[in-house]
Amino acid sequence: MIITPKIRGFICLTSHPQGCEQNVLNQINYTKSQGTVDGPKKVLVIGASTGFGLASRITSAFGSNASTIGVYFEKPAAPGKPGSAGWYNTAAFEKFAQSEGLYAKSINGDAFSNEIKQQTIDLIKADLGQIDLVVYSLASPRRTNPVTGITHQSTLKPIGGTFTNKTVDFHTGTVSEISIDPANEEEIANTVAVMGGDDWEMWIDALKAADVLAPGATTVAYSYIGPKLTEPVYRNGTIGRAKDHLEAKAFDIDAKLKEVDGRAYVSVNKALVTQASSAIPVIPLYISLLYKTMKEKGIHEGCIEQINRLFRDRLYTNGEVPVDEKGRIRIDDWEMREDVQSTVATLWEEATTETLPAIGDLEGYKTDFYNLFGFEVPGVDYEAEVNEVVEVPGLQQA
Ligand code: NAI
């Protein structure tokens, strides 16, 4: 079939298999261009199909020759119905990995559930024995707690008062004012239940109890801080509370891993266009100004550049892992540079529908957004018929 983008707000209902494959190949080629890293050898990535998780899987496999197991929640392709981007990304990744003799298998299902944790443990035991890196990179709007059976929904709201600021509809380029009402206690607790560190800890507890963590095993989860501008809706809002919880959990998990001589880290990453971040109000305007500024300074990075830096300059240097005063790895260091942030703050004041095309990188934002779903990827013929039914070579059946 010929597949075209079907956009609904900040999601796209269709994805292009060849565009997704090309995206994955570009990330593989970037990783290879950086040379090999003496990194992990047997890796579990939870949230492995898009964004930072996919980049972590690619960096492990093609930077460090690692065997990888990916866990994700994606829509399979069916005749006449394209699969989700993460489905096609995984199909491409596993095809390329296996063709280079790298072990690559995956599990598609709800990572928050006990069943998927058990299925993953069984697969590790059967094929890899033990793993030495667990990347936790889930981004989800809801979670059913397997112990209580309660389904929690996350919200993206400020805490304590209404937040009013500018935002942009990145499809039309219209800059407008948005007011977001504050969250109540229940909404805060629900967001922490979804995006906090509970499930990360459940994973590590289950893996450790099953004795599938190798001596010296490392686990890393991803967080975000961002500037003053977005603080009310991000770091001081509901999602920020969840990130506080995740970051605090890293210490508990680290203590638990002492038994296997392991370590738990949180890495604070840069703001990037992903399916998760385009859903957060105000952030797209910030990102379009940030992209413009960082590109002009020659320090712009995407997920793959970020994760390569995480592996090569932070986690696997054969030395101490550098962390900030709160124990966090910082690969948002370039985003948070004083010169970058002061430029973005000035541009923010100037941003209107009329000025944004010149002062912001709205085009870059839009292209990245389309790229997430395999569209507007250079080298792909979108007029051509493409087979939408693509299998994931290493997919495990439940
Ligand atoms: P993403 O939306 O690209 O990826 C989310 C992944 O989670 C996908 O692989 C998806 O299949 C998987 N997933 C979602 N629900 C699942 C479920 N129930 N079971 C199994 N898999 C499930 O998200 P992104 O942006 O890569 O985020 C990953 C982490 O990085 C999050 O913790 C996010 O807060 C963090 N982060 C994101 C930043 C950004 O600007 N995008 C910046 C800094 C941190």
Side-chain angles (χ1 to χ4, degrees):
M1 65 189 286
I2 290 173
I3 308 176
T4 53
K6 282 206 178 68
I7 308 279
R8 299 282 178 279
F10 47 77
I11 56 163
C12 181
L13 301 177
T14 50
S15 304
H16 199 279
Q18 273 176 11
C20 290
E21 177 168 313
Q22 188 60 48
N23 280 336
V24 168
L25 191 58
N26 293 346
Q27 294 193 48
I28 291 171
N29 288 340
Y30 173 80
T31 302
K32 285 181 172 175
S33 77
Q34 303 298 297
T36 51
V37 51
D38 186 12
K41 291 293 164 255
K42 293 177 181 177
V43 180
L44 168 64
V45 181
I46 303 156
S49 53
T50 56
F52 285 111
L54 173 64
S56 307
R57 197 176 184 198
I58 291 173
T59 306
S60 299
F62 292 93
S64 186
N65 288 316
S67 301
T68 59
I69 292 175
V71 178
Y72 51 85
F73 209 4
E74 298 294 345
K75 188 175 83 167
K81 293 198 177 105
S84 55
W87 177 267
Y88 291 136
N89 290 339
T90 306
F93 169 83
E94 293 185 3
K95 182 180 87 173
F96 291 127
Q98 292 184 1
S99 75
E100 297 202 14
L102 293 167
Y103 172 100
K105 288 190 182 173
S106 59
I107 292 171
N108 187 21
D110 181 8
F112 296 127
S113 70
N114 290 335
E115 292 72 22
I116 291 295
K117 290 183 176 76
Q118 191 54 51
Q119 206 188 325
T120 308
I121 288 167
D122 292 344
L123 181 61
I124 297 169
K125 280 189 171 164
D127 289 1
L128 302 177
Q130 290 186 321
I131 46 175
D132 53 45
L133 174 65
V134 181
V135 177
Y136 188 84
S137 187
L138 291 183
S140 172
R142 74 190 63 80
R143 165 179 173 232
T144 300
N145 182 319
V147 178
T148 62
I150 295 171
T151 299
H152 303 272
Q153 305 280 346
S154 69
T155 47
L156 295 161
K157 289 187 176 180
I159 294 172
T162 301
F163 174 56
T164 303
N165 212 324
K166 293 178 192 177
T167 191
V168 66
D169 175 335
F170 59 86
H171 297 299
T172 61
T174 306
V175 177
S176 61
E177 203 170 76
I178 182 172
S179 283
I180 315 164
D181 289 334
N184 58 36
E185 287 304 321
E186 201 186 333
E187 288 171 317
I188 299 170
N190 278 327
T191 308
V192 171
V194 179
M195 287 298 286
D198 260 353
D199 182 61
W200 183 25
E201 187 174 39
M202 282 184 179
W203 266 101
I204 299 299
D205 284 347
L207 294 166
K208 188 163 159 260
D211 195 25
V212 293
L213 294 176
T218 299
T219 184
V220 61
Y222 298 138
S223 188
Y224 183 65
I225 297 176
K228 280 256 167 300
L229 273 173
T230 59
E231 235 172 34
V233 72
Y234 198 97
R235 195 63 209 209
N236 291 345
T238 47
I239 181 73
R241 286 289 175 86
K243 292 302 185 191
D244 290 344
H245 187 267
L246 181 88
E247 290 174 15
K249 268 284 177 249
F251 292 98
D252 299 340
I253 295 172
D254 192 68
K256 289 180 177 186
L257 288 180
K258 284 284 175 290
E259 239 173 82
V260 293
D261 205 18
R263 297 296 306 266
Y265 294 102
V266 160
S267 170
V268 181
N269 301 355
K270 167 187 192 256
L272 279 169
V273 181
T274 64
Q275 295 184 40
S277 70
S278 36
I280 310 176
V282 185
I283 299 284
L285 178 58
Y286 168 70
I287 290 184
S288 70
L289 300 173
L290 180 74
Y291 271 29
K292 178 86 169 181
T293 307
M294 293 186 80
K295 283 178 183 176
E296 275 177 7
K297 290 178 184 288
I299 51 171
H300 177 71
E301 295 175 298
C303 289
I304 196 67
E305 290 85 359
Q306 279 264 289
I307 300 301
N308 267 277
R309 205 150 65 83
L310 172 65
F311 277 45
R312 294 167 194 278
D313 297 351
R314 302 288 193 272
L315 281 175
Y316 297 103
T317 60
N318 287 322
E320 276 288 294
V321 175
V323 292
D324 70 7
E325 72 292 349
K326 290 188 173 167
R328 304 171 294 201
I329 297 172
R330 303 296 295 266
I331 52 168
D332 64 338
D333 47 349
W334 299 349
E335 169 182 357
M336 299 310 284
R337 255 170 46 176
E338 167 56 35
D339 59 323
V340 171
Q341 285 304 324
S342 64
T343 305
V344 172
T346 307
L347 294 175
W348 186 272
E349 293 304 316
E350 296 167 6
T352 62
T353 306
E354 291 69 38
T355 61
L356 192 60
I359 67 168
D361 185 22
L362 203 56
E363 282 312 307
Y365 192 103
K366 268 202 257 186
T367 305
D368 274 13
F369 180 79
Y370 278 90
N371 284 177
L372 293 177
F373 305 94
F375 295 109
E376 294 188 14
V377 179
V380 177
D381 180 3
Y382 292 101
E383 311 284 303
E385 289 277 340
V386 64
N387 183 5
E388 71 281 12
V389 187
V390 177
E391 303 294 334
V392 174
L395 181 67
Q396 302 303 290
Q397 299 307 328

